[in-house]
Amino acid sequence: VQIYPNPVQENSFYIELPDDTAPLWFQLIRADGTVVRKILVNNNTQKCSTEGLPRGIYFYTLGSLGSGKIILY
């Protein structure tokens, strides 16, 4: 799994899944635990908009493939 670019400096980033991965839910989460984006990733590469989100550190979960953090500049 790749999430790029990170840090995010534009209004979007990309989620890249390995080939033959079943569709997974991606959640972008603020530090207080609020889910601010939830998208179904059903392609190998999915674009996720960050428009309207303030700068800061966010966390993500990606189905059974794990979790991590994303920085929005």
Side-chain angles (χ1 to χ4, degrees):
V1 175
Q2 292 185 26
I3 309 288
Y4 61 91
N6 191 8
V8 179
Q9 296 179 345
E10 299 295 327
N11 287 330
S12 62
F13 61 89
Y14 294 88
I15 305 159
E16 189 171 311
L17 299 178
D19 290 339
D20 300 324
T21 302
L24 296 169
W25 283 103
F26 174 88
Q27 294 186 88
L28 188 61
I29 306 160
R30 289 192 318 214
D32 68 1
T34 303
V35 176
V36 293
R37 295 283 188 276
K38 183 176 181 179
I39 59 171
L40 182 61
V41 181
N42 53 13
N43 298 321
N44 285 6
T45 303
Q46 179 79 40
K47 185 176 183 178
C48 183
S49 172
T50 59
E51 190 154 339
L53 296 177
R55 296 179 189 180
I57 297 174
Y58 292 78
F59 300 93
Y60 69 84
T61 60
L62 186 55
S64 62
L65 295 182
S67 60
K69 68 179 174 180
I70 297 176
I71 300 170
L72 303 185
Y73 267 178

XYZ file of all heavy atoms in Angstrom:
583
model
N 0.848 -1.181 0.000
C 0.000 0.000 0.000
C 0.891 1.240 0.000
O 1.854 1.317 0.746
C -0.909 0.043 1.248
C -1.688 1.332 1.305
C -1.823 -1.149 1.267
N 0.546 2.198 -0.847
C 1.256 3.473 -0.868
C 0.238 4.601 -0.763
O -0.809 4.565 -1.409
C 2.046 3.641 -2.161
C 3.209 2.699 -2.293
C 4.018 3.018 -3.539
O 4.030 4.129 -4.028
N 4.690 2.019 -4.059
N 0.561 5.578 0.074
C -0.223 6.804 0.199
C 0.736 7.932 -0.166
O 1.765 8.112 0.496
C -0.735 7.011 1.645
C -1.451 5.766 2.177
C -1.587 8.260 1.743
C -2.794 5.496 1.582
N 0.425 8.671 -1.216
C 1.367 9.709 -1.663
C 0.622 10.858 -2.316
O -0.500 10.658 -2.790
C 2.396 9.096 -2.632
C 1.777 8.510 -3.885
C 1.609 9.288 -5.033
C 1.351 7.187 -3.933
C 1.042 8.766 -6.170
C 0.787 6.653 -5.073
C 0.642 7.445 -6.188
O 0.073 6.932 -7.319
N 1.195 12.052 -2.359
C 2.395 12.451 -1.621
C 2.076 12.612 -0.133
O 0.942 12.892 0.237
C 2.763 13.791 -2.237
C 1.463 14.367 -2.712
C 0.623 13.172 -3.114
N 3.051 12.428 0.666
C 2.908 12.615 2.120
C 4.216 13.210 2.631
O 5.217 12.503 2.628
C 2.612 11.286 2.795
C 2.204 11.438 4.245
O 1.997 12.535 4.727
N 2.101 10.328 4.938
N 4.212 14.481 2.996
C 3.074 15.358 3.281
C 2.343 15.825 2.012
O 2.932 15.932 0.953
C 3.682 16.540 4.014
C 5.119 16.559 3.639
C 5.486 15.130 3.329
N 1.048 16.094 2.195
C 0.185 16.562 1.116
C 0.282 18.083 1.049
O 0.012 18.757 2.031
C -1.277 16.140 1.370
C -2.184 16.648 0.263
C -1.379 14.628 1.509
N 0.659 18.604 -0.123
C 0.776 20.053 -0.274
C -0.271 20.624 -1.218
O -0.453 21.818 -1.287
C 2.180 20.419 -0.759
C 3.238 20.048 0.257
C 4.639 20.378 -0.200
O 4.882 20.636 -1.368
N 5.570 20.362 0.724
N -0.940 19.793 -1.962
C -2.004 20.225 -2.873
C -3.349 19.882 -2.234
O -3.439 19.689 -1.042
C -1.827 19.534 -4.233
C -0.514 19.855 -4.918
C -0.366 21.311 -5.315
O -1.389 21.943 -5.662
O 0.761 21.821 -5.278
N -4.383 19.733 -3.039
C -5.725 19.447 -2.519
C -6.110 17.977 -2.605
O -7.290 17.651 -2.507
C -6.772 20.287 -3.262
C -6.711 21.738 -2.851
O -6.355 22.050 -1.729
N -7.055 22.617 -3.768
N -5.130 17.101 -2.817
C -5.459 15.679 -2.907
C -4.212 14.821 -2.722
O -3.094 15.307 -2.794
C -6.115 15.363 -4.249
O -5.229 15.638 -5.303
N -4.471 13.545 -2.474
C -3.401 12.555 -2.430
C -3.941 11.271 -3.049
O -5.125 11.168 -3.373
C -2.895 12.328 -1.000
C -3.927 11.808 -0.044
C -4.136 10.449 0.127
C -4.709 12.688 0.694
C -5.099 9.970 1.006
C -5.669 12.218 1.576
C -5.860 10.859 1.731
N -3.078 10.304 -3.234
C -3.445 9.059 -3.891
C -3.224 7.869 -2.967
O -2.278 7.848 -2.181
C -2.634 8.868 -5.173
C -2.963 9.908 -6.205
C -2.281 11.120 -6.233
C -3.980 9.707 -7.131
C -2.595 12.090 -7.158
C -4.304 10.684 -8.058
C -3.604 11.863 -8.068
O -3.934 12.837 -8.982
N -4.105 6.897 -3.098
C -4.010 5.634 -2.373
C -3.765 4.568 -3.435
O -4.568 4.421 -4.361
C -5.318 5.326 -1.626
C -5.694 6.484 -0.715
C -5.202 4.009 -0.873
C -7.164 6.504 -0.345
N -2.666 3.852 -3.315
C -2.339 2.818 -4.288
C -2.341 1.453 -3.611
O -1.622 1.236 -2.636
C -0.976 3.102 -4.913
C -0.661 2.214 -6.080
C 0.594 2.652 -6.806
O 0.717 3.858 -7.115
O 1.439 1.787 -7.060
N -3.157 0.553 -4.122
C -3.290 -0.794 -3.573
C -2.551 -1.802 -4.453
O -2.401 -1.583 -5.658
C -4.764 -1.201 -3.517
C -5.696 -0.356 -2.665
C -7.111 -0.890 -2.776
C -5.240 -0.360 -1.228
N -2.140 -2.916 -3.875
C -1.556 -3.982 -4.695
C -2.604 -4.528 -5.671
O -3.810 -4.423 -5.431
C -1.171 -5.057 -3.673
C -1.164 -4.380 -2.350
C -2.125 -3.236 -2.447
N -2.140 -5.118 -6.757
C -3.054 -5.750 -7.718
C -3.891 -6.817 -7.020
O -3.454 -7.439 -6.059
C -2.258 -6.398 -8.851
C -1.601 -5.358 -9.747
O -2.061 -4.198 -9.757
O -0.625 -5.704 -10.429
N -5.089 -7.025 -7.526
C -6.002 -8.065 -7.035
C -6.424 -7.884 -5.583
O -6.757 -8.853 -4.902
C -5.400 -9.467 -7.221
C -5.121 -9.767 -8.684
O -5.917 -9.323 -9.536
O -4.123 -10.444 -8.969
N -6.402 -6.638 -5.083
C -6.894 -6.362 -3.744
C -8.393 -6.100 -3.819
O -8.851 -5.354 -4.680
C -6.183 -5.133 -3.140
O -4.780 -5.378 -3.117
C -6.665 -4.835 -1.735
N -9.142 -6.729 -2.936
C -10.582 -6.500 -2.893
C -10.855 -5.052 -2.478
O -10.011 -4.421 -1.833
C -11.224 -7.459 -1.896
N -12.017 -4.497 -2.816
C -12.352 -3.140 -2.380
C -12.249 -2.999 -0.861
O -12.621 -3.896 -0.115
C -13.793 -2.962 -2.846
C -13.929 -3.891 -4.004
C -13.078 -5.079 -3.652
N -11.707 -1.859 -0.436
C -11.501 -1.579 0.990
C -11.995 -0.183 1.315
O -11.919 0.728 0.485
C -10.007 -1.649 1.346
C -9.304 -2.981 1.205
C -7.810 -2.799 1.329
C -9.803 -3.940 2.264
N -12.452 -0.004 2.555
C -12.837 1.334 3.023
C -11.608 2.058 3.549
O -10.858 1.526 4.356
C -13.887 1.255 4.121
C -15.242 0.956 3.578
C -15.885 -0.240 3.621
C -16.106 1.858 2.903
N -17.098 -0.140 2.994
C -17.259 1.143 2.545
C -16.018 3.195 2.538
C -18.320 1.719 1.858
C -17.077 3.768 1.865
C -18.205 3.044 1.532
N -11.421 3.291 3.081
C -10.374 4.180 3.557
C -11.048 5.249 4.404
O -12.030 5.854 3.974
C -9.650 4.839 2.380
C -8.654 5.887 2.787
C -7.354 5.535 3.081
C -9.027 7.218 2.872
C -6.436 6.499 3.452
C -8.121 8.186 3.241
C -6.818 7.824 3.534
N -10.539 5.473 5.605
C -11.059 6.534 6.471
C -9.930 7.485 6.840
O -8.863 7.039 7.271
C -11.650 5.955 7.751
C -12.880 5.127 7.528
C -13.503 4.714 8.833
O -14.327 5.434 9.388
N -13.103 3.557 9.334
N -10.173 8.775 6.666
C -9.242 9.816 7.089
C -9.804 10.406 8.376
O -10.967 10.823 8.419
C -9.117 10.888 6.003
C -8.043 11.941 6.201
C -6.654 11.304 6.247
C -8.107 12.976 5.085
N -8.980 10.435 9.410
C -9.456 10.723 10.764
C -8.647 11.859 11.386
O -7.410 11.841 11.338
C -9.318 9.455 11.636
C -10.026 8.292 10.950
C -9.844 9.687 13.041
C -9.587 6.925 11.432
N -9.347 12.840 11.980
C -8.673 13.918 12.714
C -8.100 13.374 14.019
O -8.474 12.290 14.478
C -9.650 15.042 13.051
C -10.086 15.845 11.879
C -10.814 17.114 12.271
N -11.765 16.943 13.365
C -12.898 17.601 13.489
N -13.256 18.470 12.569
N -13.687 17.402 14.509
N -7.242 14.159 14.644
C -6.612 13.746 15.907
C -7.632 13.511 17.015
O -7.381 12.712 17.918
C -5.586 14.789 16.338
N -8.800 14.168 16.941
C -9.819 13.967 17.976
C -10.684 12.732 17.720
O -11.617 12.446 18.462
C -10.692 15.210 18.136
C -11.589 15.486 16.934
O -11.564 14.703 15.954
O -12.314 16.496 16.968
N -10.395 11.989 16.629
C -11.124 10.768 16.330
C -12.268 10.916 15.350
O -12.905 9.935 14.984
N -12.534 12.126 14.895
C -13.615 12.372 13.950
C -13.211 11.932 12.548
O -12.156 12.335 12.048
C -13.974 13.871 13.920
O -14.316 14.289 15.230
C -15.131 14.145 12.971
N -14.038 11.112 11.909
C -13.794 10.699 10.533
C -14.196 11.851 9.607
O -15.341 12.297 9.632
C -14.587 9.422 10.184
C -14.408 9.059 8.718
C -14.164 8.270 11.081
N -13.241 12.346 8.804
C -13.519 13.488 7.927
C -13.655 13.090 6.460
O -14.191 13.849 5.655
C -12.452 14.593 8.084
C -12.534 15.211 9.467
C -11.057 14.073 7.809
N -13.180 11.910 6.088
C -13.363 11.357 4.747
C -13.516 9.848 4.882
O -12.803 9.211 5.638
C -12.168 11.623 3.828
C -11.889 13.066 3.498
C -12.856 13.597 2.453
N -12.495 14.911 1.989
C -12.819 16.044 2.594
N -13.496 16.014 3.719
N -12.471 17.207 2.101
N -14.435 9.297 4.105
C -14.591 7.851 4.042
C -14.897 7.505 2.594
O -15.898 7.969 2.050
C -15.719 7.378 4.957
C -15.883 5.873 4.978
C -16.943 5.438 5.979
C -17.064 3.923 5.999
N -18.067 3.470 6.970
N -14.004 6.742 1.970
C -14.205 6.384 0.572
C -13.934 4.896 0.380
O -13.111 4.304 1.069
C -13.323 7.219 -0.382
C -11.840 7.041 -0.060
C -13.697 8.673 -0.362
C -10.930 7.667 -1.087
N -14.638 4.326 -0.575
C -14.416 2.938 -0.937
C -13.356 2.915 -2.030
O -13.551 3.481 -3.106
C -15.711 2.285 -1.436
C -15.621 0.815 -1.794
C -15.223 -0.020 -0.569
C -16.933 0.325 -2.358
N -12.240 2.294 -1.737
C -11.143 2.188 -2.702
C -11.350 0.882 -3.455
O -11.176 -0.196 -2.898
C -9.773 2.205 -1.997
C -8.645 2.116 -3.010
C -9.619 3.455 -1.136
N -11.743 0.993 -4.724
C -12.010 -0.210 -5.503
C -11.192 -0.266 -6.782
O -11.439 -1.090 -7.637
C -13.505 -0.360 -5.803
C -14.074 0.878 -6.443
O -13.346 1.746 -6.874
N -15.390 0.965 -6.491
N -10.239 0.631 -6.910
C -9.294 0.618 -8.027
C -7.893 0.459 -7.459
O -7.684 0.648 -6.262
C -9.348 1.940 -8.808
C -10.705 2.178 -9.419
O -11.345 1.269 -9.899
N -11.148 3.426 -9.378
N -6.941 0.146 -8.328
C -5.562 0.063 -7.844
C -5.067 1.404 -7.327
O -4.295 1.467 -6.386
C -4.630 -0.441 -8.936
C -4.793 -1.927 -9.170
O -5.673 -2.562 -8.596
N -3.960 -2.477 -10.019
N -5.501 2.507 -7.961
C -5.107 3.844 -7.521
C -6.358 4.700 -7.383
O -7.153 4.796 -8.317
C -4.131 4.497 -8.516
O -2.998 3.649 -8.677
C -3.667 5.854 -8.010
N -6.530 5.291 -6.226
C -7.716 6.118 -5.930
C -7.253 7.492 -5.462
O -6.375 7.594 -4.617
C -8.538 5.446 -4.833
C -9.764 6.198 -4.417
C -10.905 5.992 -5.401
O -11.105 4.901 -5.896
N -11.640 7.045 -5.676
N -7.862 8.539 -5.999
C -7.566 9.909 -5.582
C -8.485 10.283 -4.428
O -9.673 9.983 -4.447
C -7.784 10.854 -6.757
C -7.395 12.283 -6.486
C -7.556 13.102 -7.760
C -7.105 14.520 -7.557
N -7.221 15.302 -8.806
N -7.932 10.960 -3.411
C -8.712 11.411 -2.260
C -8.528 12.923 -2.101
O -7.401 13.406 -1.980
C -8.251 10.690 -0.998
S -9.209 11.126 0.469
N -9.615 13.661 -2.098
C -9.565 15.114 -1.963
C -9.367 15.521 -0.505
O -9.929 14.925 0.408
C -10.867 15.721 -2.473
O -10.910 17.100 -2.189
N -8.567 16.569 -0.324
C -8.390 17.153 1.006
C -8.940 18.582 1.041
O -8.726 19.293 2.012
C -6.902 17.172 1.416
O -6.166 17.945 0.448
C -6.339 15.774 1.495
N -9.645 18.956 -0.007
C -10.196 20.302 -0.085
C -11.110 20.573 1.109
O -11.947 19.748 1.471
C -10.964 20.488 -1.384
C -11.331 21.935 -1.603
C -11.502 22.262 -3.066
O -10.983 21.531 -3.913
O -12.163 23.273 -3.322
N -10.927 21.728 1.730
C -11.741 22.119 2.865
C -11.221 21.644 4.211
O -11.775 22.012 5.244
N -10.171 20.828 4.203
C -9.616 20.343 5.474
C -8.482 21.258 5.929
O -7.634 21.646 5.123
C -9.073 18.919 5.319
C -10.091 17.836 4.978
C -9.383 16.504 4.786
C -11.141 17.730 6.063
N -8.432 21.591 7.216
C -7.338 22.421 7.703
C -6.018 21.649 7.736
O -6.008 20.415 7.767
C -7.775 22.813 9.115
C -8.812 21.843 9.509
C -9.418 21.303 8.248
N -4.935 22.387 7.736
C -3.612 21.782 7.868
C -3.513 21.018 9.164
O -4.182 21.342 10.137
C -2.528 22.855 7.864
C -2.424 23.630 6.595
C -1.349 24.672 6.735
N -1.366 25.585 5.606
C -0.553 26.577 5.453
N 0.374 26.818 6.373
N -0.630 27.348 4.408
N -2.660 20.000 9.165
C -2.446 19.261 10.396
C -2.102 17.813 10.140
O -1.902 17.389 9.008
N -2.045 17.061 11.212
C -1.754 15.636 11.148
C -3.071 14.871 11.227
O -3.885 15.116 12.115
C -0.810 15.209 12.284
C 0.536 15.925 12.140
C -0.609 13.692 12.281
C 1.485 15.692 13.295
N -3.263 13.976 10.292
C -4.441 13.130 10.233
C -3.988 11.675 10.276
O -2.862 11.355 9.930
C -5.227 13.382 8.943
C -5.864 14.744 8.889
C -5.117 15.878 8.585
C -7.216 14.906 9.151
C -5.693 17.137 8.541
C -7.804 16.160 9.105
C -7.038 17.263 8.805
O -7.617 18.514 8.770
N -4.891 10.827 10.652
C -4.618 9.395 10.670
C -5.535 8.730 9.664
O -6.560 9.292 9.284
C -4.845 8.843 12.080
C -3.958 9.501 13.083
C -4.396 10.608 13.797
C -2.671 9.045 13.287
C -3.567 11.248 14.709
C -1.829 9.670 14.195
C -2.276 10.768 14.901
N -5.152 7.546 9.217
C -6.015 6.823 8.295
C -6.059 5.349 8.652
O -5.157 4.818 9.289
C -5.561 6.992 6.838
C -4.261 6.310 6.497
C -4.229 4.955 6.142
C -3.064 7.008 6.510
C -3.039 4.328 5.825
C -1.874 6.393 6.194
C -1.859 5.045 5.846
O -0.685 4.424 5.538
N -7.146 4.727 8.246
C -7.255 3.272 8.284
C -7.626 2.830 6.874
O -8.336 3.529 6.157
C -8.323 2.773 9.278
O -9.600 3.288 8.896
C -8.000 3.202 10.700
N -7.136 1.679 6.493
C -7.406 1.142 5.171
C -7.754 -0.328 5.305
O -6.917 -1.213 5.134
C -6.214 1.345 4.246
C -6.394 0.963 2.780
C -7.593 1.692 2.173
C -5.151 1.279 1.993
N -9.004 -0.580 5.678
C -9.488 -1.944 5.831
C -8.539 -2.805 6.641
O -7.993 -2.363 7.654
N -8.295 -3.999 6.164
C -7.411 -4.940 6.855
C -5.944 -4.704 6.528
O -5.073 -5.393 7.065
C -7.793 -6.370 6.471
O -7.622 -6.549 5.084
N -5.644 -3.713 5.676
C -4.257 -3.477 5.275
C -3.491 -2.578 6.220
O -2.292 -2.388 6.052
C -4.194 -2.902 3.851
C -4.691 -3.829 2.752
C -4.540 -3.159 1.399
C -3.939 -5.151 2.768
N -4.159 -1.990 7.194
C -3.419 -1.230 8.195
C -3.858 0.205 8.355
O -4.936 0.608 7.940
N -2.960 0.968 8.967
C -3.248 2.354 9.303
C -1.944 3.145 9.265
O -0.863 2.584 9.140
C -3.891 2.441 10.689
O -3.018 1.911 11.650
N -2.076 4.470 9.395
C -0.902 5.329 9.387
C -1.306 6.767 9.583
O -2.413 7.063 10.008
N -0.386 7.683 9.243
C -0.698 9.107 9.381
C -0.340 9.847 8.096
O 0.521 9.428 7.344
C -0.013 9.719 10.580
C 1.477 9.819 10.504
C 2.027 10.482 11.753
C 3.541 10.440 11.742
N 4.101 11.057 12.925
N -1.048 10.948 7.883
C -0.858 11.823 6.739
C -0.762 13.244 7.255
O -1.539 13.644 8.133
C -2.041 11.721 5.763
C -2.128 10.301 5.196
C -1.910 12.740 4.636
C -3.319 10.098 4.300
N 0.171 14.003 6.715
C 0.330 15.406 7.100
C -0.178 16.274 5.957
O 0.226 16.108 4.804
C 1.802 15.720 7.396
C 2.296 14.838 8.547
C 1.987 17.203 7.713
C 3.782 14.879 8.776
N -1.091 17.193 6.279
C -1.584 18.167 5.300
C -0.896 19.493 5.550
O -0.977 20.035 6.644
C -3.104 18.351 5.430
C -3.977 17.105 5.290
C -5.438 17.505 5.320
C -3.651 16.316 4.057
N -0.203 20.007 4.535
C 0.467 21.312 4.631
C -0.460 22.391 4.169
O -1.186 22.301 3.263
C 1.711 21.330 3.743
C 2.977 20.940 4.456
C 4.162 20.864 3.772
C 3.000 20.644 5.803
C 5.341 20.503 4.392
C 4.176 20.275 6.438
C 5.341 20.208 5.728
O 6.493 19.858 6.347
